[in-house]
């Protein structure tokens, strides 16, 4: 199955990969992922969707968060060093992780008992690449929604991977709803490929065909004025549109998605931090707030056919995103064994299983 | 009904209009449309979708076209000057009209007898703004598809509207398919607001929810490598993404749509012409060729429910595009009487009627 997926991946993304490389080679941080263990020969696939959460990080107490923009710059050493290895990699603190943690805390505080306690095994909650110095560390946290709530799951992930000239840091926060509602999911992902550049993906992921359902678009995207946040980020002189190389991934996002690459150029470390803690944090918090206010509590009466359609759509989006993103990237970063464990856990959260 | 539409328009687009104005004021040529007869008080709405075709232009003989990039720079005087008026406006020849004409001829040559003869009344085939000097001239041509073919209609339109500091020129070519197929429609639109800048909209308009139908996306958008054309245009240093202010309009386009604003800056008249006759013409021709090869001939077996869904989606996209674009722009350019006639003819082609 993995081989078949890899094959399809190779076939369907070769165009977009090539072209992205040609256009803005330095803008796609994932293209730097060339040296780590090549577990599959598929091309470095789309950056997007779920990557991984902050648990190796300052292990926050549940419900006690860092206020958005607060300073928590402790780098926490990963717990288990590979025996006989050189100094193992640690999860480095970067500005976008502070933002992600603060937002996760905000969501947890608001959702309260609607989130069940974390339920991932310890070797998935924190993991590192197998063998050698362990050049990659990651963490994953999944909290399922309580029975009777609209929440399907909240997934946080964080990933730090050393590469020849630096590191890639990916942080994600996903809050997905179940089939009791058609309201959009919340998605936030930061992919930082250097100290001066970052890709940000921020969206209320639609669960219906927006062209076929203008009333849905009006309710969640027009009336909430969510596009204003995109415009503000787009106004940054350092911002350029970011397009996933995968059309499948692109199709999952709304028309108002913030899909931007921010590049502050040489010497722009400080500027990037300011932007992350400033405009990006503000946009992310605004989007989360809109989601909490307009989506999270909302159950929807639907005809059975309509609900079935929505579930089918959700399943495709979830499967595709795992297939395109994780099954090609994670093995390269962490080796096949660790990647398998982590992917299996994400598949469980997503409610999709590898055939 | 018109009032109701205008009301909805005002309400739903106020956000996007404001923001677009703030971001790139000089990039939206339609925002210059302030002075002509204010038939409605609605804000200048989204540029997009169908505007109008080349019949006041060098009236081409059917099937005999100008080769793409050829030089046909005759400005043809509009036929009926308003009595007692100052010198009436004429349809000025601009580079993008040459391109549109050449593509229309290419399509007509290929579609042959699948297109019925033109069927619009003379006062819609060519029209001008009522009263005074007639500061706007336009033309519309619609050819329905022959019975048994996959073609619904081919619509060409051209519009030239004088404004205080220049003119706006809009040229469109739409070829829509009927319900015997689910293959995408073809859409091309150029909106030129100054001699140095242009907005281009080029797409194979999807007729299915791409997130729900990966096989559809693969067939028409991945395998045809249509995204390559977008990338080539995007590589132009003068190009920037163009976003319609209307989310409804955005939702109609595919993930690979070329939605660009090209601005060559002061003194860039020559450069713009080169780009229009070069990269834009090449991309447009490539897209039309893909459409002719992969979409135009293709009938699709569908279950009845599937077909109904597609027809419903098509109807919404068509209605919304007329509502958002034409019903607010045309009256302002041509006055209500002329606009009503023209809109009625477009509604007939689109198979949607004003309630």
């Amino acid at each position: 199955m993995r081989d078949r997926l890899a094959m399809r991946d190779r076939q369907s993304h070769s165009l977009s990969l090539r072209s992205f490389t040609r256009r803005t080679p330095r803008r796609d941080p994932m293209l730097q992922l060339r040296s780590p263990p090549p577990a599959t020969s598929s091309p470095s696939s789309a950056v997007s969707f779920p990557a991984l959460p902050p648990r190796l990080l300052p292990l926050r107490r549940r419900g006690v968060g860092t206020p958005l923009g607060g300073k928590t710059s402790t780098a926490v050493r990963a717990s288990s060093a590979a025996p006989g290895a050189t100094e193992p990699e640690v999860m480095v603190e970067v500005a976008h992780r502070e933002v992600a943690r603060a937002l996760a805390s905000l969501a947890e505080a608001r959702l309260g008992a609607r989130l069940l306690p974390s339920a991932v095994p310890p070797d998935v909650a924190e993991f590192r690449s197998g063998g050698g110095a362990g050049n990659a560390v990651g963490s994953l946290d999944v909290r399922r929604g309580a029975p009777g709530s609209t929440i399907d799951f909240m997934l946080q992930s964080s990933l730090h991977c050393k590469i020849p000239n630096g590191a890639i840091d990916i942080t994600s926060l996903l809050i997905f709803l179940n089939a009791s509602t058609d309201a959009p999911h919340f998605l936030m992902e930061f992919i930082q490929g250097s100290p001066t550049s970052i890709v940000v993906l921020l969206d209320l992921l639609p669960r219906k065909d927006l062209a076929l359902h203008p009333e849905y678009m009006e309710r969640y995207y027009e009336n909430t004025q969510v596009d204003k946040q995109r415009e503000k980020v787009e106004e940054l002189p350092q911002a350029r549109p970011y397009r996933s190389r995968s059309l499948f991934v692109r199709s999952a996002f709304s028309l108002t998605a913030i899909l931007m690459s921010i590049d502050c150029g040489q010497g722009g470390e400080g500027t990037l931090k300011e932007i992350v803690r400033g405009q990006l944090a503000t946009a992310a918090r605004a989007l989360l707030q809109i989601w909490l206010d307009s989506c999270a509590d909302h159950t929807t009466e639907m005809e059975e056919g309509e609900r079935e359609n929505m579930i089918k759509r959700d399943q495709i989006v979830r499967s595709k995103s795992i297939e395109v993103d994780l099954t090609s990237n994670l093995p390269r970063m962490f080796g096949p064994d660790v990647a398998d464990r982590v992917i299996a856990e994400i598949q469980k959260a997503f409610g999709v299983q590898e055939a």
Side-chain angles (χ1 to χ4, degrees), chain A residues 175-211:
Chain A
I175 320 178
F176 274 40
L177 298 171
N178 60 31
S180 69
T181 173
D182 65 4
H185 305 308
F186 176 79
L187 176 141
M188 177 180 76
E189 188 161 64
F190 295 110
I191 303 134
Q192 183 158 7
S194 84
T196 59
S197 66
I198 198 167
V199 166
V200 55
L201 313 177
L202 249 174
D203 197 24
L204 308 186
L205 289 181
R207 299 170 78 192
K208 289 191 162 186
D209 178 11
L210 297 180

Side-chain angles (χ1 to χ4, degrees), chain A residues 107-306:
Chain A
E108 287 178 324
R110 172 77 170 265
L111 298 175
R114 282 181 279 171
L115 291 172
L116 297 177
S118 176
V120 292
D123 62 352
V124 171
E126 301 183 9
F127 51 94
R128 62 172 51 248
S129 49
N135 67 321
V137 290
S139 67
L140 174 70
D141 186 29
V142 178
R143 299 183 66 180
R144 308 303 308 242
S149 79
T150 56
I151 309 294
D152 190 7
F153 64 85
M154 169 166 161
L155 181 154
Q156 301 172 69
S157 79
S158 205
L159 177 70
H160 170 79
C161 181
K162 201 175 173 182
I163 52 171
N165 294 320
I168 289 182
D169 288 279
I170 305 179
T171 307
S172 309
L173 174 61
L174 276 62
I175 320 178
F176 274 40
L177 298 171
N178 60 31
S180 69
T181 173
D182 65 4
H185 305 308
F186 176 79
L187 176 141
M188 177 180 76
E189 188 161 64
F190 295 110
I191 303 134
Q192 183 158 7
S194 84
T196 59
S197 66
I198 198 167
V199 166
V200 55
L201 313 177
L202 249 174
D203 197 24
L204 308 186
L205 289 181
R207 299 170 78 192
K208 289 191 162 186
D209 178 11
L210 297 180
L212 185 59
H213 299 282
E215 75 296 343
Y216 185 85
M217 180 148 59
E218 208 158 340
R219 171 172 195 156
Y220 293 113
Y221 298 93
E222 290 256 356
N223 298 348
T224 57
Q225 307 210 334
V226 77
D227 206 33
K228 272 188 177 167
Q229 302 305 324
R230 186 192 57 72
E231 287 160 4
K232 281 184 199 158
V233 176
E234 204 174 74
E235 274 171 4
L236 287 168
Q238 297 89 348
R240 291 190 52 178
Y242 171 81
R243 271 192 188 84
S244 166
R245 281 160 281 130
S246 158
L247 297 186
F248 297 114
V249 170
R250 280 192 223 165
S251 76
F253 288 100
S254 81
L255 306 163
T256 62
I258 297 174
L259 307 171
M260 297 280 167
S261 168
I262 316 270
D263 194 335
C264 298
Q266 226 181 353
E269 288 85 350
T271 310
L272 186 71
K273 275 185 198 159
E274 276 171 30
I275 288 175
V276 169
R277 290 182 179 139
Q279 289 93 335
L280 295 191
T282 303
R285 186 168 40 186
L287 236 74
L288 179 60
Q289 204 61 59
I290 288 169
W291 184 82
L292 288 167
D293 293 342
S294 308
C295 306
D297 298 332
H298 167 68
T299 57
T300 317
E301 282 192 23
M302 280 177 272
E303 285 173 24
E304 219 28 62
E306 210 183 337

